[in-house]
Amino acid sequence: MTVQPYATTDGRFDLVKLRRVVEGTLPHAELSREEKVYVARHFGGSARGVGRVLGVTEKTVTRWRENGDGVPEQGGDDA
């Protein structure tokens, strides 16, 4: 992750919630599209593995990682 290791938020994103999804203790259906993009860009792992956790394809994760898909780097307002 690119944020502080003990941070609980990054802008408007709840990092505790996002970590729970990545760890498998919260279903991906609980995440908004913007939260899924944030996870794809900021949490490590293969595109295939992250896609499986988020309920999207490997291709989608790769696209989100390559161009950000319009989601700000740090949880600010969408451009």
Side-chain angles (χ1 to χ4, degrees):
M1 283 182 44
T2 60
V3 297
Q4 297 297 323
Y6 299 106
T8 59
T9 62
D10 184 15
R12 63 188 164 148
F13 295 107
D14 177 352
L15 299 179
V16 174
K17 175 183 174 181
L18 300 182
R19 284 186 191 117
R20 288 181 62 203
V21 170
V22 171
E23 293 167 357
T25 60
L26 186 70
H28 66 78
E30 297 292 322
L31 298 183
S32 69
R33 180 183 177 280
E34 292 172 334
E35 289 171 322
K36 289 179 181 183
V37 174
Y38 184 91
V39 168
R41 292 181 69 200
H42 292 89
F43 285 73
S46 69
R48 177 176 288 165
V50 171
R52 190 174 18 246
V53 167
L54 297 178
V56 298
T57 66
E58 177 180 354
K59 183 177 178 179
T60 297
V61 172
T62 300
R63 179 172 42 86
W64 286 344
R65 287 179 171 174
E66 288 176 355
N67 68 20
D69 206 50
V71 174
E73 188 66 26
Q74 289 189 348
D77 293 327
D78 283 351

